[in-house]
Amino acid sequence: MTPGFDQPLYMLPFDQRESFQSKLFGWTGALNAAQTAEIADAKQVVYDGFCAAIERGAPREHGAILVDEQFGASILREAAREGFMTACPVEKSGQKEFDFEYGEEFARHIEAVDPTFSKVLVRYNPEGDRSMNRRQAARLGRLSDYLRRTERKFMFELLVPGEQAELDELHGDTSAYDRLRRPRHMVSAIVELQDAGVEPDVWKIEGLSDHEDCESVVSAARRDGRDRVGCIVLGRGADSVQVERWLKTAASVPGFIGFAVGRTTFWDAVLDWKEKSITREEAITEIARRYREWVHIFQHATCSTT
């Protein structure tokens, strides 16, 4: 089966586990049942914001959520009943090296949740640790084979952190790394992973400020007959001005089919709700407003270039 998904895809991701636990609630170690329920309730607020956005005019047929099984199993079931596209992470949270959240049971969990997309977040710099890259590629190839064999969709979130030596050369200037090094590393990473048998339907890509860099990423994702493979741009938790810039740049390039903007959409609203400075309904309204804003920006930028 030829990989690919080329319909518009406007995703609200809230699959973060480690950051919800440690950064939002300040908890460490194993969670008790009450703590688990509190995190699940916070994620319900995000999902309710997504639903409110759909009710207020965001396109239902292109809307999607990304949430984890640990805290969001009931949300995934509810979203599927509502006919929304869903995605669920397969990776362990907060790990430098990709590994399966549920080990050898990964297939059983995918089949139980049955998301539209099985998603992985992978840190992969082609200039980095070669042994680690080979280990990651082997695990990812195994997952890709399974998903292809069972006719399930595969979403790959590619993060390309700078190696320390590279950052030292740039005097620690991460903005210079993002501009001068990361785009070509992303292209090399996509090619290396494809050559290792990793075949996503959608690549989830860190924001790029340059039109030509976006074109290069799409060319790599769609090389050698992968004509229907799509790319979506993620938000990296950046401020709204930067996210808007990335959305407009990506939307101007055919092959970028949408976005996955999470923390910039919901984090402040959920934090304010948790600290009781706003009501639950106010948090839901703000999340809905932000999500609809991203949809409008992306759609308008797409239309203006066609």
Side-chain angles (χ1 to χ4, degrees):
M1 186 172 71
T2 303
F5 184 90
D6 54 5
Q7 305 167 36
L9 182 60
Y10 307 142
M11 179 168 281
L12 177 52
F14 50 110
D15 61 320
Q16 298 87 350
R17 286 147 281 166
E18 176 63 28
S19 57
F20 264 79
Q21 178 177 334
S22 63
K23 295 179 182 177
L24 187 65
F25 286 94
W27 296 330
T28 57
L31 298 174
N32 60 38
Q35 291 171 326
T36 299
E38 280 197 60
I39 296 175
D41 192 37
K43 296 204 172 200
Q44 185 69 45
V45 171
V46 182
Y47 176 66
D48 289 348
F50 170 80
C51 292
I54 301 298
E55 290 169 4
R56 294 165 194 176
R60 167 180 282 270
E61 67 274 21
H62 303 316
I65 62 161
L66 165 57
V67 68
D68 55 288
E69 181 182 354
Q70 180 182 2
F71 300 114
S74 64
I75 293 172
L76 286 163
R77 289 192 294 270
E78 182 182 344
R81 286 194 300 270
E82 290 294 323
F84 297 128
M85 291 184 285
T86 61
C88 186
V90 178
E91 80 280 350
K92 287 182 180 177
S93 181
Q95 300 279 109
K96 182 178 179 181
E97 179 174 348
F98 168 80
D99 205 352
F100 294 104
E101 170 74 8
Y102 297 106
E104 291 301 309
E105 295 293 304
F106 74 87
R108 184 175 66 81
H109 281 264
I110 291 169
E111 288 159 16
V113 173
D114 196 25
T116 312
F117 298 93
S118 294
K119 166 259 176 185
V120 295
L121 180 152
V122 180
R123 295 170 175 84
Y124 189 106
N125 186 326
E127 301 295 318
D129 185 330
R130 288 286 180 183
S131 296
M132 184 177 77
N133 284 350
R134 281 194 295 271
R135 290 192 302 271
Q136 293 193 114
R139 295 182 190 118
L140 292 160
R142 182 182 175 197
L143 174 64
S144 183
D145 288 345
Y146 159 75
L147 294 172
R148 195 68 50 220
R149 189 173 67 252
T150 57
E151 299 186 348
R152 298 175 184 274
K153 294 294 185 187
F154 185 13
M155 178 176 288
F156 194 113
E157 180 174 351
L158 174 64
L159 303 184
V160 188
E163 290 296 305
Q164 191 58 53
E166 294 182 292
L167 296 174
D168 289 345
E169 286 178 25
L170 297 168
H171 308 291
D173 187 342
T174 54
S175 295
Y177 170 77
D178 282 343
R179 189 175 65 257
L180 301 174
R181 302 287 181 89
R182 181 165 60 84
R184 58 183 170 86
H185 287 344
M186 294 167 87
V187 169
S188 297
I190 290 169
V191 171
E192 283 188 13
L193 288 159
Q194 289 169 336
D195 287 347
V198 181
E199 295 288 356
D201 299 281
V202 174
W203 290 92
K204 195 165 174 261
I205 297 293
E206 293 180 271
L208 295 163
S209 298
D210 188 89
H211 181 94
E212 287 73 23
D213 289 334
C214 285
E215 288 182 324
S216 296
V217 165
V218 169
S219 292
R222 291 189 160 182
R223 73 189 182 105
D224 295 343
R226 299 174 178 88
D227 300 338
R228 291 188 58 246
V229 171
C231 296
I232 59 177
V233 62
L234 58 90
R236 296 179 78 188
D239 63 54
S240 58
V241 173
Q242 182 63 73
V243 168
E244 180 174 350
R245 189 176 300 124
W246 286 333
L247 289 175
K248 287 179 175 178
T249 303
S252 72
V253 176
F256 270 91
I257 60 174
F259 59 82
V261 179
R263 286 169 294 167
T264 314
T265 308
F266 70 76
W267 190 267
D268 289 346
V270 171
L271 181 61
D272 289 345
W273 164 75
K274 185 187 83 71
E275 294 181 346
K276 297 182 169 35
S277 61
I278 63 174
T279 66
R280 188 185 191 100
E281 190 55 43
E282 286 171 333
I284 289 168
T285 298
E286 175 61 13
I287 292 165
R289 183 192 69 78
R290 287 249 172 162
Y291 175 81
R292 290 181 67 207
E293 181 181 5
W294 310 141
V295 172
H296 174 76
I297 289 167
F298 193 90
Q299 289 185 325
H300 181 75
T302 302
C303 290
S304 67
T305 59
T306 56

